[in-house]
């Protein structure tokens, strides 16, 4: 995914009210912008951090600037939760996630389960259906290790249960953890921050749900899928 125009560098002052942030542009101008991430963004909201913003000229937008990336220890980290589905689709079409590129049809945001929508639905006359749920990952507290989630997510556990239901109905259920950073060589479910999600993940795997972790190459010019990385088992014994 290539940005329409290069991102604008700035310095983070604070992130607040979840959807908003204050920053200072390179010319010293203070601005308030939109943050496209409602999560905790653990480890990514330190005042004084270098950040990168997209600019939007639409008169319907209240804020001209939108937060896209934060630099942490020299690593560019994408925070926009509106991008992972698109990036996962790019990875699938490029043949980077198992055999998913072999499915004939890819549909976005299809209804399924208990009043839910699946991020990507793959179908093929010979292969049947594959339900693909995509989760955004940007949390890393140990060098080289990406983790999800960075805070409790009841909704995430519900998605794992529904994917298990699809497997038991004769389809494939697939979790894709899309890591918007390229300094991770392994990935793990974060059981100490959300034991319930880790338990739901283990149950889903026993039911036949597949899981892939995909890291990305991140720069102010583009974010591009970089391929599948190894997944460690959740440290349930340490909970």
């Amino acid at each position: 995914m290539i940005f329409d125009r290069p991102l604008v560098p700035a310095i983070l002052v604070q992130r607040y009210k979840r959807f908003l942030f204050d920053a200072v542009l390179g010319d010293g101008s203070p601005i308030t912008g939109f943050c496209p991430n409602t999560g905790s963004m653990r480890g990514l909201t330190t005042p004084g951090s270098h950040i990168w913003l997209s600019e939007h000229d639409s008169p319907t937008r209240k804020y001209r600037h939108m937060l896209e990336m934060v630099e942490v220890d020299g690593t560019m980290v994408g925070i926009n939760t509106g991008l992972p589905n698109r990036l996962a689709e790019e990875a699938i079409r490029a043949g980077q996630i198992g055999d998913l590129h072999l499915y004939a049809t890819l549909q976005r945001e299809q209804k399924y389960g208990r009043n839910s929508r699946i991020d990507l639905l793959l179908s093929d006359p010979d292969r049947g259906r594959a339900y693909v749920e995509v989760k955004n990952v940007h949390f890393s507290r140990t060098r080289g290790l990406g983790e999800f989630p960075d805070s409790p997510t009841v909704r995430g556990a519900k998605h794992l249960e529904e994917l298990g239901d699809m497997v038991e109905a004769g389809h494939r259920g697939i979790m894709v953890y899309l890591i918007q950073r390229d300094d991770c060589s392994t990935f793990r479910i974060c059981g100490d921050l959300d034991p319930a999600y880790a338990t739901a993940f283990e149950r889903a795997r026993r039911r036949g749900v597949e899981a892939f972790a995909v890291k990305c190459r991140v720069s102010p010019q583009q974010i591009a899928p970089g391929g599948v990385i190894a997944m460690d088992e959740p440290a349930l014994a340490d909970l």
Side-chain angles (χ1 to χ4, degrees):
M1 187 209 78
I2 300 175
F3 290 104
D4 294 334
R5 47 186 173 180
L7 302 184
V8 176
I11 299 296
L12 180 66
V13 175
Q14 66 172 331
R15 181 220 183 187
Y16 59 101
K17 296 183 179 179
R18 287 201 168 188
F19 290 109
L20 300 178
F21 70 94
D22 291 334
V24 177
L25 300 179
D27 63 3
S29 302
I31 59 107
T32 295
F34 175 71
C35 178
N37 188 318
T38 62
S40 69
M41 287 179 57
R42 187 183 293 263
L44 300 175
T45 60
T46 304
S49 296
H50 291 272
I51 60 176
W52 278 261
L53 318 173
S54 55
E55 288 188 291
H56 304 272
D57 300 324
S58 171
T60 62
R61 284 181 175 267
K62 184 175 181 179
Y63 301 100
R64 176 182 176 87
H65 296 91
M66 184 163 72
L67 181 60
E68 299 284 355
M69 298 178 187
V70 179
E71 183 176 340
V72 180
D73 297 328
T75 296
M76 302 285 283
V77 182
I79 63 90
N80 189 338
T81 57
L83 299 182
N85 287 7
R86 178 176 172 182
L87 293 167
E89 182 176 337
E90 288 184 11
I92 290 172
R93 295 190 184 282
Q96 294 180 319
I97 307 179
D99 64 350
L100 300 188
H101 63 290
L102 299 177
Y103 283 79
T105 303
L106 184 153
Q107 296 173 283
R108 308 177 187 94
E109 296 288 334
Q110 298 297 301
K111 291 183 178 179
Y112 89 118
R114 300 184 292 277
N115 196 31
S116 294
R117 287 182 178 272
I118 194 68
D119 291 323
L120 301 171
L121 175 59
L122 310 179
S123 56
D124 187 89
D126 299 321
R127 298 173 180 275
R129 290 186 173 188
Y131 290 80
V132 182
E133 182 72 27
V134 183
K135 295 300 181 188
N136 179 66
V137 180
H138 47 55
F139 181 48
S140 178
R141 54 186 166 175
T142 301
R143 184 173 295 276
L145 176 65
E147 295 184 88
F148 180 90
D150 64 354
S151 60
T153 169
V154 174
R155 185 167 177 264
K158 173 176 176 284
H159 289 156
L160 288 169
E161 187 70 14
E162 290 179 326
L163 285 178
D165 293 343
M166 294 301 102
V167 172
E168 292 184 356
H171 311 295
R172 291 176 73 181
I174 300 165
M175 281 295 315
V176 173
Y177 295 96
L178 199 289
I179 306 169
Q180 288 197 68
R181 53 193 301 162
D182 63 4
D183 62 342
C184 296
S185 57
T186 57
F187 170 81
R188 183 174 69 188
I189 299 300
C190 191
D192 60 322
L193 294 181
D194 191 348
Y197 186 86
T199 299
F201 178 81
E202 285 297 284
R203 169 175 160 77
R205 292 298 294 269
R206 290 194 299 269
R207 298 175 77 191
V209 173
E210 304 164 59
F212 297 91
V214 179
K215 73 174 182 179
C216 292
R217 299 182 298 273
V218 182
S219 76
Q221 291 75 42
Q222 68 174 330
I223 302 179
V228 170
I229 63 173
M231 289 189 63
D232 292 341
E233 292 301 315
L236 290 177
D238 298 333
L239 298 180

